[in-house]
Amino acid sequence: MALKILSVDDSRTIRLIVTRAFKAYDCIICEAANGEEGLAAAAREKPDLVILDVTMPVMDGVTMLGKLKDDPDLKAIPVIMLTAESSQENVLQISRLGVRDYLAKPFKEEQLLEKAGRVVPLVKKAA
Amino acid sequence: MNTTIPNLIDEVSDLLNIGVSEVFRTMLTLEAKPAAVLHDWHASGETLVAGSVGFIGDVNGVVYVHVTAGFARKLASRMLGLAEAELEGDEMVNDVIGELSNMIVGNVKSRLCDSGAPCVLTIPSIVRGQNFKIEPVHSCERRLLAFRCDADHIMVELLMKHST
């Protein structure tokens, strides 16, 4: 069964890059443009992994992560934060909220796949 | 961060030099090489695209990343892995330039925070047009940084506010 990955980022560019990164793998990518839409998508889709931006309008990634971890139905979903803000304080803050890993922007698709592969079993699509 | 604005703006300029090269290399596999600032870096009347992201906190400033509209389309095509004809209008191009600007300034912001000058980033915005220039108010210090990617130019403009 295909893995379901939820990409939450206000940048369409990043959502397209995430989708492209997993193209060769047996994954379904769902998208949301902010934390509020991301929470709704997480409740609806029950993804196997969330790839979450930090700075977004409406609801930022840190707030969404906190709400996800407060929800008994969603708190087990692993989250990888994708952030342009990788200061030590930021990284500490998101670690405390139970994030599984983080990736600082700029990033290479291989780095994202490597991090994701440590959290969920990525299987290449049959040729 | 216990330093004066002239020193600080030099430090931020250095961080931008590193950030631009790193972002272009990682996201676009392009070498953005520091170059001399040219005032005729684009043809008169050529459409320009500028991505802008600010940082607010113990240090305050804004960074504009200027490129020509033609180069912006090339960058979007390369970053998204799409042919230029597949780019839907200006929206996808604007989003790419906004995201590149966000990564460049995010890098600077993280290093400022780590060196004791906490600040937050603003949401990226885009200015698109012909023959426009950014005019700083008198309380701002300004630096221009130029880069070349082969024949194309990137102009990075940094404005920083004096502490009160």
Side-chain angles (χ1 to χ4, degrees):
Chain A
M1 197 167 148
L3 283 174
K4 210 176 262 187
I5 297 177
L6 172 60
S7 170
V8 186
D9 203 303
D10 59 323
S11 164
R12 190 177 173 200
T13 299
I14 297 297
R15 300 199 307 269
L16 281 168
I17 290 172
V18 169
T19 301
R20 188 178 62 196
F22 290 98
K23 203 174 171 182
Y25 294 86
D26 195 13
C27 298
I28 298 165
I29 309 291
C30 318
E31 296 182 20
N34 59 59
E36 199 172 279
E37 286 180 17
L39 271 179
R44 188 176 61 242
E45 304 288 346
K46 298 285 191 308
D48 300 289
L49 173 65
V50 177
I51 297 172
L52 179 60
D53 185 23
V54 174
T55 309
M56 293 182 286
V58 185
M59 183 191 289
D60 66 30
V62 173
T63 307
M64 177 183 158
L65 180 63
K67 288 184 183 286
L68 202 73
K69 294 299 170 192
D70 283 344
D71 187 324
D73 290 336
L74 305 177
K75 68 178 182 188
I77 300 171
V79 176
I80 295 176
M81 298 295 271
L82 195 52
T83 176
E85 301 178 44
S86 56
S87 63
Q88 289 166 8
E89 194 188 324
N90 244 356
V91 172
L92 268 176
Q93 187 192 10
I94 58 178
S95 312
R96 282 191 212 107
L97 285 169
V99 75
R100 284 293 288 273
D101 209 338
Y102 84 96
L103 184 57
K105 297 176 186 175
F107 65 99
K108 288 194 174 295
E109 287 177 26
E110 305 87 78
Q111 292 174 301
L112 176 61
L113 289 171
E114 192 209 328
K115 301 252 181 200
R118 284 193 211 151
V119 179
V120 288
L122 292 177
V123 177
K124 284 225 172 194
K125 279 181 188 162
Chain B
M1 187 174 268
N2 186 16
T3 184
T4 59
I5 277 281
N7 289 339
L8 190 54
I9 198 164
D10 289 340
E11 285 177 36
V12 174
S13 299
D14 290 345
L15 293 174
L16 281 171
N17 263 314
I18 297 165
V20 170
S21 300
E22 193 182 328
V23 168
F24 272 67
R25 193 179 308 118
T26 308
M27 299 307 298
L28 297 152
T29 54
L30 282 177
E31 287 301 321
K33 294 179 182 158
V37 174
L38 301 173
H39 293 284
D40 57 351
W41 65 277
H42 61 89
S44 173
E46 192 169 12
T47 301
L48 303 179
V49 182
S52 106
V53 177
F55 45 95
I56 303 163
D58 280 15
V59 287
N60 295 286
V62 62
V63 176
Y64 293 86
V65 179
H66 302 261
V67 291
T68 62
F71 188 40
R73 282 192 82 77
K74 278 193 214 170
L75 294 174
S77 159
R78 198 173 174 101
M79 188 139 152
L80 299 174
L82 298 172
E84 286 189 41
E86 291 177 282
L87 299 170
E88 297 159 12
D90 292 336
E91 195 193 324
M92 290 172 94
V93 177
N94 290 349
D95 197 75
V96 166
I97 300 301
E99 190 54 39
L100 288 171
S101 308
N102 188 47
M103 288 181 193
I104 292 165
V105 186
N107 211 295
V108 171
K109 180 256 178 195
S110 300
R111 290 175 197 196
L112 285 172
C113 288
D114 287 344
S115 58
C119 51
V120 294
L121 290 184
T122 63
I123 300 285
S125 62
I126 296 291
V127 182
R128 180 182 273 271
Q130 296 163 335
N131 298 324
F132 68 84
K133 62 177 182 177
I134 310 299
E135 291 193 343
V137 293
H138 72 279
S139 59
C140 283
E141 192 87 13
R142 179 172 179 258
R143 289 280 191 284
L144 275 178
L145 308 168
F147 300 85
R148 290 287 295 262
C149 275
D150 297 323
D152 293 300
H153 299 257
I154 306 154
M155 193 64 70
V156 176
E157 192 166 5
L158 165 65
L159 303 179
M160 282 183 67
K161 196 172 188 300
H162 289 291
S163 302
T164 48

